[in-house]
């Protein structure tokens, strides 16, 4: 296996070879080759020793040479129609790219212009033409999973952030659990007049969070004070506050942090104090959430774990294993200063 030239190496100095790595790691060069080709029958201790030797020597495998030997591109594709527009999908794609890189794979991104079948098909065919070995499709819209399921492709596809019907049960954050945790938190604080600013109804995330919100209140014998539709943006949260003013609401669950930000802004303009007059919970735990005024109580999603699971599931399917990836990734309630008990003021 040849090695590519490192631009930081002094002129004339020989690039480290696979045999150099084998010598430093104390293994045969065949064992190093198996690690480079992601062979499953390698002890984890041996794999880590070889990776450490590569790092020490600055060894970089030549992908072109590897492709000639293995007939594999070591590349996977990502189809994401909403990449760069929203925190959650963007974080999921970034986490998957990190997980792929850790496993020695490069990623190619395709962003279809629409959710129509022709546009999704074009995106997938583009990636197939680029010789990717597998594809993950970020499918937050309810219709995407059905469209992808109807396509016949020569390589494995795994759906990310899809619903339970799609069969990729483990490749999503448990949105229902997250909404349940948020709602129970407000109930535990004694709130009984609770509203929701919901996400778009055609998003799987929005559907799951709204459904769990209603079910959790119903289990306590409580009806939602009002559910106001939003579109994930801070502006929609800001506008939603006007509808909430018509109801005697003491707490609001916003289906994402950006809408919570807009809601808090609108409340502040009208002299309503958060949390003294109105408790607010968000969802996502964006990096800025801890610095909202007040710092936002929210639901944290483990995007890194989701990325790892997605890559593992795709590798399994590339190897012929179509089994489920496991249960959805559990989120976590992060309590900050935007919520307080009823009567605590």
């Amino acid at each position: 296996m040849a090695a590519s030239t490192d631009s930081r190496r002094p002129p004339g100095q020989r690039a480290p070879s696979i045999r150099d790595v084998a010598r430093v790691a104390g293994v045969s060069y065949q064992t190093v080759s198996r690690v480079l080709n992601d062979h499953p029958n390698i002890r984890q201790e041996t794999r880590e020793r070889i990776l450490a030797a590569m790092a020490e020597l600055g060894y970089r495998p030549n992908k072109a040479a590897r492709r000639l030997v293995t007939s594999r591109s070591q590349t996977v594709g990502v189809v994401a129609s909403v990449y760069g527009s929203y925190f959650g999908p963007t974080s999921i794609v970034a986490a998957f790219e990190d997980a792929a890189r850790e496993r020695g794979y490069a990623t190619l991104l395709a962003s279809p212009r629409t959710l129509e079948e022709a546009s999704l098909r074009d995106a997938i065919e583009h990636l197939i033409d680029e010789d990717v070995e597998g594809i993950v499709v970020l499918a937050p819209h309810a219709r995407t999973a059905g469209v992808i399921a109807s396509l016949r492709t020569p390589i494995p596809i795994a759906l990310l952030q899809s619903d339970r019907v799609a069969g990729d049960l483990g490749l999503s954050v448990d949105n229902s659990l997250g909404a349940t945790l948020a709602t129970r938190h407000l109930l535990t604080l004694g709130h009984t007049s609770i509203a929701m600013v919901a996400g778009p109804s055609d998003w799987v995330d929005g559907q799951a969070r709204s459904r769990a919100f209603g079910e959790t209140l119903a289990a306590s014998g409580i009806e939602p004070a009002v559910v106001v539709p939003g579109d994930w943006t801070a502006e929609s949260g800001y506008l939603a506050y006007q509808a909430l003013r018509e109801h005697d609401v003491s707490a609001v669950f916003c289906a994402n942090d950006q809408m919570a930000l807009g809601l808090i802004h609108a409340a502040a303009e009208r002299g309503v104090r958060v949390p003294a007059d109105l408790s607010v919970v968000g969802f996502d735990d964006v990096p800025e959430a801890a610095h909202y005024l007040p710092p936002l109580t929210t639901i944290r999603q483990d995007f890194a774990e989701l990325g790892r699971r997605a890559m593992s599931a795709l590798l399994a399917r590339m190897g012929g294993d179509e089994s489920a990836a496991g249960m959805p990734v559990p989120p976590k309630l992060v309590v900050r200063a935007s919520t307080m008990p009823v009567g605590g003021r």
Side-chain angles (χ1 to χ4, degrees):
M1 185 74 64
S4 61
T5 301
D6 190 334
S7 60
R8 297 169 297 177
R9 185 174 295 109
Q13 181 176 329
R14 180 180 65 85
S17 70
I18 189 173
R19 294 184 183 274
D20 294 324
V21 174
R23 175 178 52 78
V24 172
V27 298
S28 68
Y29 75 88
Q30 292 94 335
T31 301
V32 176
S33 179
R34 292 189 186 99
V35 169
L36 289 172
N37 293 316
D38 205 25
H39 196 282
N41 297 327
I42 299 291
R43 294 175 56 188
Q44 186 61 28
E45 178 185 349
T46 302
R47 185 184 303 274
E48 291 175 357
R49 192 163 72 247
I50 290 172
L51 293 176
M54 291 179 186
E56 178 184 342
L57 292 171
Y59 175 81
R60 297 174 62 86
N62 186 314
K63 290 189 176 182
R66 179 191 294 184
R67 186 168 178 174
L68 287 173
V69 173
T70 66
S71 299
R72 295 173 56 189
S73 67
Q74 290 294 121
T75 303
V76 291
V78 180
V79 174
S81 60
V82 293
Y83 180 73
S85 301
Y86 303 98
F87 174 77
T90 301
S91 298
I92 291 170
V93 172
F96 177 77
E97 289 178 329
D98 289 343
R101 191 179 305 112
E102 290 174 0
R103 303 297 288 269
Y105 283 79
T107 54
L108 288 178
L109 176 67
S111 298
R113 292 189 179 89
T114 72
L115 299 178
E116 299 302 321
E117 179 174 344
S119 186
L120 289 169
R121 184 187 298 276
D122 286 346
I124 289 174
E125 289 180 350
H126 166 71
L127 293 174
I128 292 173
D129 289 343
E130 294 295 327
D131 204 24
V132 299
E133 297 182 36
I135 298 173
V136 294
V137 178
L138 185 61
H141 295 91
R143 14 183 333 213
T144 306
V147 171
I148 296 301
S150 69
L151 302 179
R152 293 185 177 275
T153 62
I155 62 175
I157 291 181
L159 296 180
L160 260 170
Q161 208 68 351
S162 61
D163 59 17
R164 293 171 182 264
V165 178
D168 287 289
L169 187 60
L171 300 185
S172 65
V173 171
D174 195 332
N175 288 285
S176 295
L177 175 59
T180 298
L181 291 173
T183 309
R184 283 179 181 168
H185 172 66
L186 295 173
L187 290 170
T188 300
L189 294 175
H191 295 281
T192 55
S193 181
I194 306 174
M196 180 180 186
V197 181
S201 60
D202 63 337
W203 283 59
V204 172
D205 297 359
Q207 293 174 357
R209 294 172 196 178
S210 294
R211 183 171 57 249
F213 169 73
E215 291 175 349
T216 305
L217 288 183
S220 296
I222 298 174
E223 290 288 329
V226 61
V227 176
V228 183
D231 63 7
W232 300 131
T233 66
E235 179 68 11
S236 70
Y238 180 89
L239 296 174
Y241 183 77
Q242 184 62 37
L244 298 182
R245 294 183 67 194
E246 302 174 6
H247 301 265
D248 184 18
V249 173
S250 66
V252 184
F253 168 42
C254 296
N256 78 339
D257 290 348
Q258 282 88 351
M259 294 192 297
L261 175 62
L263 183 89
I264 292 171
H265 178 197
E269 285 187 342
R270 292 160 177 80
V272 175
R273 299 166 298 167
V274 175
D277 302 320
L278 183 69
S279 287
V280 179
V281 180
F283 201 113
D284 280 339
D285 196 23
V286 299
E288 299 82 7
H291 304 287
Y292 284 11
L293 288 177
L296 185 66
T297 295
T298 187
I299 301 297
R300 177 178 297 161
Q301 304 191 64
D302 191 345
F303 294 117
E305 175 61 19
L306 182 57
R308 286 190 291 269
R309 288 195 189 187
M311 187 61 197
S312 294
L314 187 59
L315 286 174
R317 293 184 182 192
M318 287 157 54
D321 182 1
E322 294 290 333
S323 61
M327 297 304 293
V329 178
K332 176 183 177 182
L333 174 68
V334 179
V335 178
R336 298 193 179 102
S338 66
T339 53
M340 68 182 301
V342 172
R345 42 193 176 270

